[in-house]
Amino acid sequence: MVYTGDMRPSSESLCLTLSSRFLQAFFSETGTDLPTQQRLMEQVGIAADTLTSSTGRVTEDQFATLYRLMASARNDELLGLLSRPMPGGTMKFGGYSIIAAPTTGIALHRYSRLLKMLSDDFEVLISRNDGLASIALREPDGPRRCRPMGLELTLKVFHGVGSWLIGRNIPLMAVNFSFPAPTYLDDLYSLFPGPLNFDCPMTTMTFDASLLDLQFHRTERDLRTFLSRQPRDWLCSPSVRQPVAHQVRTCLLEGGVGSMKVPDIAKTLNMSLRTLCRRLEQEGMSVKEVKDALRRDLAIHRLTQTEDPISEIAEGLGFGDIPSFYRAFRSWTGVAPGAYRRDTGIRQVDS
């Protein structure tokens, strides 16, 4: 995708980013040694110092490519996070079994039965009560057999596949994990759109039960596209942990992050300036923090997905001059924009 004029990515297509803390934990839990880490990062265009930088970020496309390379090399779609390998083709086989299901609930039940045949690390329980549905991963008594990230990603598969089937993100009323909060907590808030709780008896997500009764239409062609992009299309979804912050982010994205002022945002959202600031404060955010995070993700998106000149990117994001953009980008990622672009293999257009 190459930007021209005022073209901007939509809130759905804008690539999200994951922190170096998430990538560190991912490599650690999958047992990936340092030489392999370095080789994989070079293959997918992740800067060498991203992993060690406290401000390092990777795009969802970079992570998805990394994931696919590892899954192919290991013939394990969950990369050793479960006690037994999940053979290559599991998602494909499961996909063909669910696209013919009459409802989302039946589709997810079919996928849960497939997992039961392949893994005894946990049992997937799908239930409903008083208008609420839950998908729980019940582990057997005794020591945990799989990695915590294995539980996170398995739960995310169910959320991502269900969202893909119905064509929209499934809002989650609660997400409970049976382990302590990890160092990459903010990344989990980006992956799971709902309130998160830790040290719970069981890993569970809860949502509106009516979503299980929805009919859907997915073709083999849809499935092939979904599989070719995995894990991206079941992994990443916008967070609603902070609904007002999310509205502000969408407003800035649609109205222009480089031009909209705080009064413009409040007016667009039909709020007074005081109400907007108060509600953001309740979510632990400010307009500046939302704006800076969006600028960061847009900058990374344009540097990795387009050949736009850096000066044009800086201007489009509302920076008065290139040096101020360079300083901001270094604070976000730990490297300069040009170095970030070179490491991802995008041709440098200007200095």
Side-chain angles (χ1 to χ4, degrees), residues 198-263:
F198 296 90
D199 290 314
C200 299
M202 201 179 306
T203 296
T204 311
M205 64 181 183
T206 304
F207 52 95
D208 188 332
S210 65
L211 296 174
L212 293 178
D213 301 320
L214 292 180
Q215 298 180 349
F216 60 88
H217 177 69
R218 286 294 183 182
T219 65
E220 288 190 20
R221 182 177 179 180
D222 294 333
L223 179 61
R224 287 194 295 271
T225 300
F226 177 76
L227 293 171
S228 70
R229 292 159 55 90
Q230 70 164 316
R232 179 184 173 182
D233 284 2
W234 56 256
L235 185 68
C236 295
S237 58
S239 170
V240 294
R241 171 200 185 189
Q242 300 158 317
V244 178
H246 185 67
Q247 290 177 50
V248 171
R249 181 182 171 98
T250 301
C251 180
L252 286 167
L253 186 60
E254 295 175 351
V257 69
S259 57
M260 288 196 80
K261 307 299 182 185
V262 179

Side-chain angles (χ1 to χ4, degrees), residues 43-62:
Q43 281 184 266
V44 304
I46 299 174
D49 56 356
T50 296
L51 194 61
T52 56
S53 170
S54 61
T55 56
R57 310 290 302 186
V58 297
T59 69
E60 62 189 49
D61 283 329
Q62 288 172 329

Side-chain angles (χ1 to χ4, degrees), residues 304-315:
T304 59
Q305 303 298 317
T306 80
E307 296 183 358
D308 294 346
I310 291 177
S311 58
E312 183 180 309
I313 296 174
E315 182 181 359

